[in-house]
Amino acid sequence: MAARVVTLAFSGVEAVRVDCEVQIVGGESAFILVGLGDKAVGESRERVRAAFTGMGLALPYKRIVANLAPADLPKVGSHYDLPIALAIMAAMGIIPPDALEGWAAVGELALDARIT
């Protein structure tokens, strides 16, 4: 089952809904991020990993797949860190998935898990 958090992409002056979906599956340990993200979005893997460590949590030793949908919409910036981290925590069972319904998350994570 995939956990889902709503976030936003910015297209000019308009905000467009983006669904951040995370699924944790068996297999070789990996953290895969898909959905037409730029370099800053790709670097989210390392900021999220460090933030989990800063909170005293460990990512599961499994395959983590994070999808930013729609896939054909370019994603730019570091503000996807927070929704990715929240979706991972929901997929791990740390946060009840229904606690994230009705909210949109936007924010960059510092290495100590502060939201910047």
Side-chain angles (χ1 to χ4, degrees):
M1 182 175 104
R4 182 174 289 119
V5 175
V6 173
T7 188
L8 303 169
F10 300 101
S11 178
V13 295
E14 296 203 21
V16 179
R17 177 189 170 124
V18 171
D19 288 325
C20 175
E21 304 167 307
V22 168
Q23 189 169 42
I24 299 174
V25 296
E28 188 175 332
S29 179
F31 188 163
I32 300 163
L33 187 55
V34 297
L36 200 54
D38 72 346
K39 184 163 176 53
V41 175
E43 292 170 346
S44 287
R45 284 188 300 267
E46 298 310 317
R47 287 189 297 273
V48 168
R49 189 183 315 274
F52 267 68
T53 300
M55 292 185 290
L57 298 172
L59 290 175
Y61 193 74
K62 294 185 175 183
R63 188 175 193 85
I64 301 169
V65 180
N67 178 40
L68 299 173
D72 62 343
L73 176 69
K75 317 312 182 294
V76 177
S78 58
H79 65 277
Y80 296 101
D81 295 357
L82 180 60
I84 292 168
L86 290 172
I88 290 171
M89 287 192 277
M92 292 173 63
I94 296 170
I95 298 174
D98 62 339
L100 301 171
E101 292 177 11
W103 297 93
V106 175
E108 179 181 339
L109 294 177
L111 300 183
D112 63 359
R114 287 178 299 117
I115 301 169
T116 59

